[in-house]
Amino acid sequence: MPSEFEKPTIYEVAERAGVSIASVSRVLQNKPGVSEATRKMITSVMQELGYVPSNAARGLAGCRAGIIGLIFPDLDDPSMESGHETLLYFDEIIRGAQRAARQEGIAVLIAATHSASGRELALSIASKVDGLVVMARSVPEVDMRSLATRIPTVLLAADRHISGVDYLIADNEGGAAAVTRHLVEYHKYPTVKFIGGPSNSPDSRARFRGYCKALALANLEVPKSPWMAGDFTEASGRRIAKVILSKGSLPRSVVVGNDQMAFGMMKVLISEGIKVPQEVAITGFDDLPVARYLQPGLTTVRQPMRQLGAESIRLLLVRLGGATSPQSVTLPTELTLRQSCGCVNDDY
Amino acid sequence: MPSEFEKPTIYEVAERAGVSIASVSRVLQNKPGVSEATRKMITSVMQELGYVPSNAARGLAGCRAGIIGLIFPDLDDPSMESGHETLLYFDEIIRGAQRAARQEGIAVLIAATHSASGRELALSIASKVDGLVVMARSVPEVDMRSLATRIPTVLLAADRHISGVDYLIADNEGGAAAVTRHLVEYHKYPTVKFIGGPSNSPDSRARFRGYCKALALANLEVPKSPWMAGDFTEASGRRIAKVILSKGSLPRSVVVGNDQMAFGMMKVLISEGIKVPQEVAITGFDDLPVARYLQPGLTTVRQPMRQLGAESIRLLLVRLGGATSPQSVTLPTELTLRQSCGCVNDDY
DNA sequence: TCAAATAGAGAAAGCGCTTACGTATGCCTA
DNA sequence: TAGGCATACGTAAGCGCTTTCTCTATTTGA
């Protein structure tokens, strides 16, 4: 570090104020044991010197670093196209977390794990922060366990529980049930098919469960498995649309497992002259910002992404506050009606 | 901190390996002075114990924290709607920075400054990191100066220079000149108007300059100021479109100061039955991901956002490496042709 | 063969802060 | 007026690491 940057230390403040560093420290932390007069005096000297306590020293001396780490998978997109929106999902969560953290006066360290680097990175981050918010699948489960033993951790959007970590997830099941019910009860479509994501995705499974529940509630026949399934990418949505088209007969409505696949499907269907929603109604899941810009606007289920971020910080703070028993929290999702389901909603 | 989380220290490693902490430290930093045999031994003990050095202690002992801070304005959106895409711009920069940082083995701390909190936050962040990347307008200029005296700083997308800080910016002027030239020379539109952003925005000013240069080059009349101006939000784009419509006669083409305003304008024009680009050609600036999903796709100027992020980290590292003279770097922008300018480009 | 150079390793002094503990002072009670 | 107890403040011991200095083997050169 070039010496041009000189920061005043607590000693300089103490000396200049004619007190001991203990008093300065007490003022710094608003602790009692300092008279009002001295406190004012010290405060003004700190101002004057532009003193800012060293975070490293504070951390070392047994206090908090005042930093929380956010770890999420770096879904690097070979085809930039498909990855772009997925990323947005994390960005929103990050933003929510960041805001919540700022309100608490703590900073947020972000780290995207490349598949390979997961373990190593997580550890290196862990040494810099007080607690960790980990997105599902950014760190291998084994490493999660060892991480959780050395630092408070909350896991976001994961399905499997690991002992000692807090859980936070959006209500996928309820959301899927809500869209499905909308198509069945409000629009009274004769057929409502479900298109899932990867079969091992907890999100996809939960959404399918919700779909089934809604069907059961309406006394409709409940399928054993999704009608078709993709991998949550726009490309797979396009592929599925083509398969459907080749079948000859179209379902009246389709509940798609996420927005991106819905984008791809709509694009293909429309380019093939099929009218959405007049011939096929389509719904998505996530409410990516792009959803409202599509023609027609995509009816979807909004995930409270920022809220997920904010809540994860809250959970972590509770944990850091000394709570020993980890919690498990589910956040509600919200049906967002636009035109692709058949509603004539202008959104503005 | 609850005592349930116990981390091994360098002392435990040393004891278990039967050496002094100095040797462990040397191994940690790959410094010479340790025989190959001892080095291996110590390494294996570290593995076994799951030892990770404390970042705080390292920082205190005179080393780097291994963290770089990213400060950007929190353009909080009263109407969530309008803010969404602006945010994306920062997200992309953050992502670029994050990736570059990871490659260098350093972490990134992000902090969005609320208008009010600027100074305070910046200082609190400054105490946690080795260097700072600051987006223009997230920290008041006065505070920037004092920041820059205590920590290496690179300023992103600012126009005014502050002594001692590195500068990084995208070529707004060149980009605006390029679109303008495209409309003038390629499409040969008789009128090409410019719609600016906030008059105090350096970006907006630079883009207007580029527009003017292109006009001058084509021997067209150069206006003194933008034809109209908004505030870079989609809502202001809609407002402007309505004003234009009320005028009766439409310009043949419009260079809009950023994508969001272009979105808003297109939406209103189209909903009023105006054909884009057949009646009015529109271009934007930024190339937000949504731009390609619009109907028609928006011709715009691509800002190398990720690259900006990555480059900012690189600059900072050079600075941290001991370089004393700050640099000033401009990154190129790129014209992205879609349909809104009149080109028949399919993008897929 | 012996002095001199050298590699490997340890001892110890901080880095800037927090905090338990110790020590004055003032004021109250008996 | 002596004893007691707040209250305000200072002292000093770390926190876990880096780094300089020092010491001991071992090697090298003449």
Side-chain angles (χ1 to χ4, degrees):
Chain A
M1 188 88 60
S3 62
E4 37 171 338
F5 303 104
E6 291 294 344
K7 300 163 190 172
T9 73
I10 198 173
Y11 290 99
E12 278 139 66
V13 176
E15 188 180 359
R16 190 118 154 203
V19 300
S20 74
I21 60 164
S23 296
V24 179
S25 178
R26 280 189 272 260
V27 169
L28 229 46
Q29 304 168 78
N30 275 316
K31 283 206 172 177
V34 186
S35 72
E36 204 43 52
T38 338
R39 190 178 295 270
K40 272 216 179 90
M41 220 265 287
I42 295 181
T43 308
S44 80
V45 172
M46 294 198 304
Q47 285 282 353
E48 192 181 322
L49 255 55
Y51 169 73
V52 179
S54 145
N55 203 63
R58 278 192 142 166
L60 224 207
C63 242
R64 296 271 164 66
I67 307 181
I68 280 182
L70 236 59
I71 301 187
F72 52 97
D74 191 348
L75 301 178
D76 206 354
D77 18 68
S79 64
M80 160 80 163
E81 176 207 340
S82 78
H84 222 114
E85 301 302 332
T86 312
L87 296 174
L88 198 63
Y89 178 86
F90 297 128
D91 287 330
E92 285 288 292
I93 292 180
I94 292 172
R95 191 166 316 278
Q98 207 275 315
R99 289 209 178 130
R102 184 184 52 206
Q103 287 188 347
E104 305 289 340
I106 69 184
V108 174
L109 197 58
I110 62 170
T113 57
H114 241 358
S115 46
S117 62
R119 175 185 170 67
E120 200 185 342
L121 208 158
L123 282 180
S124 105
I125 297 299
S127 78
K128 304 191 204 294
V129 302
D130 299 323
L132 236 35
V133 174
V134 181
M135 286 289 308
R137 249 164 314 217
S138 44
V139 178
E141 189 171 331
V142 216
D143 301 322
M144 266 306 301
R145 287 184 191 287
S146 76
L147 256 190
T149 65
R150 65 172 63 212
I151 193 171
T153 303
V154 5
L155 199 44
L156 230 62
D159 56 342
R160 269 195 300 247
H161 279 226
I162 293 179
S163 69
V165 325
D166 289 273
Y167 270 80
L168 184 54
I169 201 165
D171 184 14
N172 285 299
E173 194 171 317
V179 241
T180 308
R181 212 165 51 228
H182 177 71
L183 297 179
V184 169
E185 294 182 3
Y186 181 82
H187 290 291
K188 303 205 190 318
Y189 291 135
T191 50
V192 182
K193 294 298 192 182
F194 183 85
I195 295 190
S199 60
N200 65 357
S201 153
D203 284 356
S204 175
R205 284 197 298 241
R207 289 168 196 176
F208 181 61
R209 273 199 308 279
Y211 161 82
C212 291
K213 275 194 180 167
L215 291 189
L217 222 72
N219 286 318
L220 294 176
E221 192 186 341
V222 176
K224 282 272 180 293
S225 59
W227 187 46
M228 298 179 80
D231 62 4
F232 275 164
T233 65
E234 192 182 320
S236 77
R238 289 202 292 266
R239 218 174 304 127
I240 288 172
K242 282 173 192 152
V243 174
I244 294 177
L245 282 171
S246 71
K247 285 192 175 180
S249 85
L250 295 168
R252 183 60 188 86
S253 70
V254 187
V255 174
V256 185
N258 78 341
D259 278 3
Q260 280 171 274
M261 292 202 298
F263 296 163
M265 289 183 60
M266 270 177 52
K267 194 164 284 176
V268 168
L269 290 176
I270 290 173
S271 75
E272 293 294 325
I274 309 293
K275 286 204 181 351
V276 178
Q278 291 84 347
E279 296 176 61
V280 181
I282 288 184
T283 67
F285 206 110
D286 283 345
D287 196 17
L288 299 182
V290 197
R292 80 154 64 81
Y293 290 104
L294 298 182
Q295 228 19 285
L298 183 66
T299 286
T300 185
V301 177
R302 175 153 174 61
Q303 289 222 54
M305 294 178 283
R306 296 201 181 184
Q307 213 181 318
L308 276 170
E311 187 65 15
S312 67
I313 297 293
R314 207 192 55 76
L315 278 176
L316 202 47
L317 288 179
V318 168
R319 202 72 196 300
L320 284 171
T324 45
S325 59
Q327 305 179 49
S328 191
V329 174
T330 301
L331 256 37
T333 49
E334 185 193 346
L335 181 58
T336 303
L337 299 174
R338 297 207 179 86
Q339 304 95 52
S340 72
C341 62
C343 284
V344 278
N345 175 327
D346 197 80
D347 209 11
Y348 278 107
Chain B
M1 188 90 56
S3 61
E4 35 172 337
F5 302 104
E6 291 294 344
K7 300 164 191 172
T9 73
I10 198 173
Y11 289 99
E12 278 139 65
V13 175
E15 188 180 359
R16 191 119 153 203
V19 298
S20 75
I21 61 164
S23 296
V24 178
S25 178
R26 280 189 271 261
V27 170
L28 229 45
Q29 305 169 75
N30 277 314
K31 283 207 172 177
V34 186
S35 70
E36 204 43 51
T38 337
R39 190 177 294 271
K40 273 217 177 90
M41 219 265 287
I42 295 180
T43 309
S44 80
V45 171
M46 293 197 306
Q47 285 284 350
E48 191 181 324
L49 254 54
Y51 170 73
V52 179
S54 147
N55 204 63
R58 279 193 141 168
L60 225 207
C63 243
R64 297 271 164 65
I67 306 181
I68 280 180
L70 234 60
I71 302 187
F72 51 98
D74 192 348
L75 302 178
D76 206 353
D77 19 68
S79 63
M80 159 84 163
E81 173 209 340
S82 77
H84 223 115
E85 303 300 333
T86 311
L87 296 173
L88 196 65
Y89 177 86
F90 296 127
D91 288 330
E92 286 287 292
I93 292 180
I94 292 172
R95 193 169 312 281
Q98 206 275 314
R99 289 213 176 126
R102 185 183 51 207
Q103 287 187 348
E104 305 289 340
I106 69 184
V108 173
L109 197 59
I110 61 170
T113 57
H114 241 358
S115 46
S117 63
R119 175 186 170 68
E120 202 185 341
L121 208 158
L123 281 180
S124 107
I125 297 298
S127 79
K128 304 190 205 294
V129 302
D130 299 322
L132 236 35
V133 174
V134 181
M135 287 289 308
R137 247 164 322 211
S138 43
V139 177
E141 189 173 330
V142 215
D143 301 321
M144 266 305 302
R145 288 184 192 286
S146 76
L147 257 189
T149 65
R150 66 171 64 211
I151 193 170
T153 303
V154 5
L155 199 43
L156 231 61
D159 56 343
R160 270 196 299 248
H161 278 227
I162 292 178
S163 69
V165 326
D166 289 274
Y167 271 79
L168 185 54
I169 201 167
D171 184 12
N172 285 298
E173 196 171 314
V179 241
T180 309
R181 213 164 51 229
H182 177 72
L183 297 178
V184 170
E185 294 183 3
Y186 182 82
H187 291 291
K188 304 205 190 314
Y189 291 136
T191 51
V192 181
K193 293 298 192 182
F194 182 86
I195 295 190
S199 61
N200 63 357
S201 154
D203 284 356
S204 175
R205 285 197 297 241
R207 290 169 197 175
F208 180 61
R209 274 200 307 277
Y211 160 82
C212 291
K213 275 197 182 168
L215 291 189
L217 223 70
N219 286 317
L220 294 176
E221 194 186 342
V222 176
K224 282 271 180 295
S225 60
W227 187 46
M228 299 179 79
D231 61 5
F232 275 164
T233 65
E234 191 182 322
S236 76
R238 289 202 294 269
R239 220 173 303 126
I240 288 172
K242 283 173 191 151
V243 173
I244 294 178
L245 283 170
S246 72
K247 287 193 175 182
S249 86
L250 295 168
R252 182 60 189 86
S253 70
V254 186
V255 173
V256 184
N258 78 341
D259 278 2
Q260 281 172 276
M261 292 201 299
F263 296 162
M265 289 183 59
M266 270 177 53
K267 193 164 281 172
V268 169
L269 291 177
I270 290 172
S271 76
E272 294 294 325
I274 309 292
K275 287 207 181 347
V276 177
Q278 291 84 347
E279 297 176 60
V280 181
I282 289 184
T283 67
F285 207 109
D286 284 345
D287 196 16
L288 299 180
V290 197
R292 81 155 63 79
Y293 289 104
L294 298 182
Q295 227 22 282
L298 183 67
T299 287
T300 186
V301 177
R302 175 153 176 61
Q303 289 222 54
M305 294 179 282
R306 295 199 181 186
Q307 212 181 319
L308 276 170
E311 186 66 15
S312 67
I313 297 293
R314 207 192 56 74
L315 277 177
L316 202 46
L317 288 179
V318 167
R319 203 71 198 300
L320 284 172
T324 45
S325 59
Q327 305 178 49
S328 191
V329 175
T330 301
L331 258 38
T333 49
E334 184 191 348
L335 180 58
T336 302
L337 299 175
R338 297 208 179 86
Q339 303 95 51
S340 72
C341 63
C343 284
V344 280
N345 174 329
D346 198 79
D347 211 10
Y348 275 110

